[in-house]
Amino acid sequence: MANYTVLVTGGAGYVGSHVVVELLNQGYTPVIIDNFSNSIKGSGSKPEVLLRIERITGKQVTFYEGDIRDKPTLQNVFKKHSFTHVIHTAGMKAVGESIIMPIEYYNCNVGGTICLLEVMKEFSCYNIIFSSSATVYGPPDFLPIDETHHVGRGITNPYGKTKYFIEEILRDLTTADKNWNVVLLRYFNPVGSHKSGLIGENPQGIPQNLMPFVSQVAVGRRESVKVFGTDYDTPDGTGVRDYIHVLDLASGHVAAVNKASEGCGLKLYNLGSGKGYSVLDMIKAMEKASGKQIAYNLAGRREGDIASMYANATLAETELHWKAERGLDEMCEDLWRWQSSNPNGY
């Protein structure tokens, strides 16, 4: 195996920490940069995460505290390591918050990416794997949604637009300069945690995503879940989404590192399970995993929500030799192990 040294931006966050564990387990050398200053509703990266990664892997983690918008800090990190790849997971990620704070989202997500790309070019590191999102598709014209679906139309929030704009920047970059190899990973909905229960999703404030909220109800931190929309054209009337185990997501990043190493140019892949589960399906699965009854209240639709969204992930299976291996029960069991072991997060 090639000895790749991989900078993971946002490597102390939810997805980033699981990616770092997978890289270490596969024999790569990850280096983390994270500023620990997630927005109020962000994923809540904390210094404790680094100690837990080391406990899980038995390996030391190289870490720098810094913001990717701070060019001198980035340059200093690049001077100390000969990076072969960057996995770019840093960014603000709460949909609702992005509507209230659009300038901050554009500054952090788009501005931070441009700064990162400038420093990568300066140090001749031309391989980047970017954490994009299924939000770039907007409302789906067909299901399951594949990579041929149009992007950028009907995106309802600044968070999704920042992902779309960054994709376009990276697309233009590969057109202009053939040195670059870019893999865009369009995540669906990550769920679960590492088997150890030591690292997991740690939302600050009120969780913006369904499953952290459901698990907090199960552990007694919150009274009930509000289910928005009960009259969608779905089997039980509630919204249907594609959920993917965070460990499957992490292994997808390692597969993407290997793809970039082939000199792939621009590639884009859905990372999803290919299955749709409703809100009520997810609540029932969490009840089964936790052995707790989860109270929920039915409410009207939220503006901007869509009925169903799930992936066709066959391109990733064909080209990355990757597919989601873990099912719904395992996602919920692992989420419950994390939540019950860490009822208040890190």
Side-chain angles (χ1 to χ4, degrees):
M1 180 190 293
N3 183 21
Y4 297 138
T5 302
V6 184
L7 179 65
V8 184
T9 70
Y14 174 42
V15 172
S17 60
H18 288 85
V19 168
V20 169
V21 167
E22 184 69 13
L23 288 165
L24 286 166
N25 287 341
Q26 297 294 331
Y28 299 94
T29 305
V31 174
I32 297 172
I33 185 167
D34 200 300
N35 63 2
F36 296 131
S37 66
N38 290 87
S39 55
I40 295 164
K41 304 181 184 74
S43 62
S45 60
K46 299 276 178 71
E48 173 69 21
V49 177
L50 307 171
L51 301 175
R52 295 191 181 196
I53 290 171
E54 291 178 345
R55 275 176 64 189
I56 289 166
T57 62
K59 297 176 181 177
Q60 197 164 0
V61 177
T62 304
F63 167 77
Y64 297 92
E65 185 167 355
D67 191 307
I68 58 168
R69 291 169 289 184
D70 180 351
K71 189 174 275 189
T73 295
L74 264 186
Q75 288 167 325
N76 285 334
V77 173
F78 272 78
K79 282 173 189 167
K80 292 175 181 172
H81 304 273
S82 297
F83 292 119
T84 55
H85 303 73
V86 172
I87 295 177
H88 180 26
T89 73
M92 297 169 75
K93 70 176 199 73
V95 168
E97 184 182 70
S98 76
I99 294 167
I100 301 163
M101 301 167 53
I103 296 298
E104 289 87 345
Y105 269 71
Y106 289 120
N107 185 307
C108 177
N109 294 4
V110 180
T113 301
I114 290 170
C115 185
L116 175 65
L117 292 170
E118 288 172 345
V119 176
M120 287 178 68
K121 183 177 181 181
E122 181 183 340
F123 288 87
S124 300
C125 175
Y126 293 109
N127 299 313
I128 184 168
I129 290 85
F130 173 57
S131 299
S132 191
S133 165
T135 56
V136 301
Y137 290 119
D141 289 343
F142 56 84
L143 290 169
I145 201 163
D146 66 24
E147 293 85 353
T148 67
H149 192 283
H150 64 75
V151 292
R153 191 188 307 163
I155 302 174
T156 56
N157 58 81
Y159 163 74
K161 288 175 186 172
T162 66
K163 295 295 188 184
Y164 169 63
F165 293 152
I166 293 165
E167 283 198 6
E168 291 297 290
I169 289 165
L170 291 167
R171 190 183 298 275
D172 290 342
L173 187 58
T174 55
T175 301
D177 184 346
K178 299 305 178 190
N179 287 313
W180 286 90
N181 299 298
V182 172
V183 183
L184 308 174
L185 298 178
R186 292 174 178 164
Y187 301 178
F188 281 70
N189 296 273
V191 175
S193 72
H194 190 267
K195 295 291 177 190
S196 63
L198 288 170
I199 58 173
E201 191 166 7
N202 185 41
Q204 303 301 290
I206 298 170
Q208 298 295 291
N209 296 327
L210 174 67
M211 292 311 288
F213 204 112
V214 170
S215 67
Q216 287 189 9
V217 173
V219 86
R221 275 180 69 181
R222 303 195 183 276
E223 286 187 11
S224 63
V225 184
K226 193 171 277 191
V227 177
F228 293 100
T230 57
D231 58 350
Y232 288 111
D233 183 17
T234 60
D236 63 19
T238 65
V240 167
R241 296 293 182 269
D242 186 324
Y243 295 88
I244 176 173
H245 199 299
V246 70
L247 295 179
D248 284 328
L249 195 62
S251 68
H253 288 74
V254 177
V257 166
N258 296 334
K259 174 57 73 175
S261 305
E262 296 170 5
C264 65
L266 178 75
K267 292 286 185 178
L268 49 98
Y269 301 104
N270 287 338
L271 294 189
S273 67
K275 299 186 177 80
Y277 295 104
S278 75
V279 174
L280 295 183
D281 289 335
M282 300 305 290
I283 291 172
K284 287 171 191 163
M286 198 63 201
E287 285 184 332
K288 178 181 171 186
S290 66
K292 309 281 186 183
Q293 189 168 1
I294 295 167
Y296 61 89
N297 303 308
L298 304 177
R301 298 185 184 190
R302 279 185 305 196
E303 189 176 350
D305 277 355
I306 54 177
S308 295
M309 183 76 157
Y310 52 94
N312 178 335
T314 54
L315 188 63
E317 187 173 353
T318 303
E319 296 192 6
L320 292 181
H321 312 296
W322 170 93
K323 68 175 181 177
E325 304 283 355
R326 297 163 178 88
L328 180 57
D329 286 347
E330 193 172 351
M331 293 179 211
C332 291
E333 287 161 12
D334 293 343
L335 171 57
W336 179 242
R337 188 178 303 110
W338 152 255
Q339 188 69 78
S340 56
S341 305
N342 303 269
N344 296 306
Y346 292 113

